[in-house]
Amino acid sequence: MAFPLRFGLGTGNRRPFAELAEEWQMIEALGFDTAWVVDHFMAENDERKPYYEAWTLITALGMLTERLRFGILVSGNTYRNPSLLAKQAVTVDHASNGRVELGIGAGWMEREHAAYGFDLPPVRQRLEMLEEALQVIGSLMINERTTFHGKHYRLENAPFEPKPLQQPRIPIIVGAFRPKMIALAARYADSWNTRGTPEELGPSVATFREAARRAGRDPDTIRLSVFAWEHPFTSEERFRETVVAYRRLGFTDIIFPMPPRDSWSVLERCATRVIPELRASR
């Protein structure tokens, strides 16, 4: 399956809402495909910084756009009950006329869990919980009713209406870096999201593709999404080189951090000149 190349920007959750609203509207006006926030309750590097809750934030920001697809990279499963998360996602799906994507991961920030009273189980248990959550979410969105008896989640003849506008389900993105998590993404996700530079990610892509084949899936039917660590909007050439390097690895969705205002002129030139060229050269 040949996916169209998509470009996105991640604005984060920390700045005043008015600034984030301005950025999301600009992202859409410049022709980008997607916009993203993250799912934390506090900043890892500065606990004094304001930090908006992710699902209410994307709902508000999404309503200020008309075309842009959007989501969270990625929702923490340790503090997001999967049945509630599925209901939240479907509600936003209807409110946005089918533009939301559902990102999910195992959860990781120890200090955050301790601060707000969430359990952070050992890694193995988090992987078990995430796999069950993916099964629950998938079943709720597709089946009329869901009964699920797992080790960590239990549903009894659960109805789920309305179904999502996006069929057969809202696209599920699994954020994964290590082999066992990558294997879960390869088995359950519509899109695998990771982070890193092109120089770092070659082995991870190979691991993902092999895991998809072992799961009985064609890896070319799954989107490969990357959130770069740094923005490349220092020059048009730097942006072009970075995108080409990710494309060579097979990434279909390339997401960069929103650059500071002093780089917005380069951002605009990349959006209006370089991105159309890159789309045409596929």
Side-chain angles (χ1 to χ4, degrees), residues 15 101 111 120 129 135-136 144 149 151 157 169-170 181 185-187 190 201 205 212 221 227-228 230 236 253 257:
R15 290 188 304 287
E101 305 201 0
R111 165 64 183 147
L120 183 65
M129 292 171 64
Q135 294 170 2
V136 166
E144 182 177 350
H149 297 166
K151 183 177 179 181
N157 195 30
R169 67 183 189 186
I170 296 168
M181 279 289 294
R187 177 168 293 186
D190 301 298
L201 288 176
V205 172
T221 64
F227 197 148
E230 298 179 353
E236 293 174 52
D253 291 61

Side-chain angles (χ1 to χ4, degrees), residues 31 34-35 45 50 76 90 101 149 153 157 181 190 197 215 217-218 231 244 273:
T34 61
N45 55 0
V90 168
E101 305 201 0
H149 297 166
Y153 304 108
N157 195 30
M181 279 289 294
D190 301 298
T197 67
R217 301 181 71 189
D218 179 351
H231 79 80
V244 168
R273 300 176 187 176

Side-chain angles (χ1 to χ4, degrees), residues 6 99 108-109 127 163 168 235:
R6 300 198 305 187
R99 293 186 287 129
W108 63 273
M109 192 192 297
L127 291 174
K163 295 302 183 195
S235 70

Side-chain angles (χ1 to χ4, degrees), residues 16-257:
F17 182 82
E19 293 182 17
L20 295 173
E22 177 189 8
E23 290 179 359
W24 275 49
Q25 290 175 323
M26 182 178 72
I27 290 167
E28 180 170 73
L30 288 175
F32 283 87
D33 302 289
T34 61
W36 306 90
V37 302
V38 297
D39 193 21
H40 292 294
F41 306 130
M42 60 193 292
E44 183 183 17
N45 55 0
D46 187 349
E47 295 183 5
R48 297 169 299 177
K49 283 186 175 292
Y51 217 97
Y52 291 120
E53 191 280 324
W55 274 94
T56 44
L57 180 60
I58 64 167
T59 303
L61 292 171
M63 297 307 99
L64 300 176
T65 65
E66 297 179 357
R67 175 194 54 80
L68 200 64
R69 296 188 66 80
F70 58 89
I72 298 165
L73 294 176
V74 288
S75 300
N77 186 57
T78 46
Y79 40 78
R80 301 285 185 185
N81 176 278
S83 300
L84 177 58
L85 179 61
K87 182 62 76 171
Q88 289 174 300
V90 168
T91 301
V92 180
D93 184 60
H94 281 258
S96 66
N97 196 28
R99 293 186 287 129
V100 73
E101 305 201 0
L102 198 167
I104 190 169
W108 63 273
M109 192 192 297
E110 185 175 353
R111 165 64 183 147
E112 179 177 51
H113 286 73
Y116 295 102
F118 295 106
D119 291 335
L120 183 65
V123 172
R124 181 175 180 179
Q125 183 176 331
R126 276 180 271 157
L127 291 174
E128 292 174 352
M129 292 171 64
L130 179 60
E131 182 163 19
E132 288 190 12
L134 288 164
Q135 294 170 2
V136 166
I137 291 167
S139 178
L140 287 170
M141 285 198 284
I142 292 173
N143 296 315
E144 182 177 350
R145 290 179 179 264
T146 294
T147 295
F148 183 88
H149 297 166
K151 183 177 179 181
H152 304 284
Y153 304 108
R154 186 178 185 91
L155 285 74
E156 295 290 350
N157 195 30
F160 194 81
E161 294 293 341
K163 295 302 183 195
L165 294 179
Q166 299 180 79
Q167 289 293 313
R169 67 183 189 186
I170 296 168
I172 294 176
I173 306 165
V174 174
F177 305 96
R178 294 184 174 87
K180 290 182 180 179
M181 279 289 294
I182 290 174
L184 284 183
R187 177 168 293 186
Y188 293 102
D190 301 298
S191 176
W192 164 51
N193 175 259
T194 191
R195 298 193 76 161
T197 67
E199 294 75 20
E200 296 168 336
L201 288 176
S204 296
V205 172
T207 297
F208 173 81
R209 295 183 66 84
E210 178 57 30
R213 286 189 284 266
R214 287 200 307 270
R217 301 181 71 189
D218 179 351
D220 292 331
T221 64
I222 307 167
R223 282 188 172 276
L224 272 63
S225 165
V226 60
F227 197 148
W229 290 116
E230 298 179 353
H231 79 80
F233 301 108
T234 54
S235 70
E236 293 174 52
E237 188 55 36
R238 173 63 177 156
F239 175 77
R240 182 184 291 105
E241 290 173 354
T242 303
V243 171
V244 168
Y246 282 123
R247 287 293 293 146
R248 286 185 183 133
L249 293 173
F251 285 99
T252 62
D253 291 61
I254 303 170
I255 303 157
F256 296 107

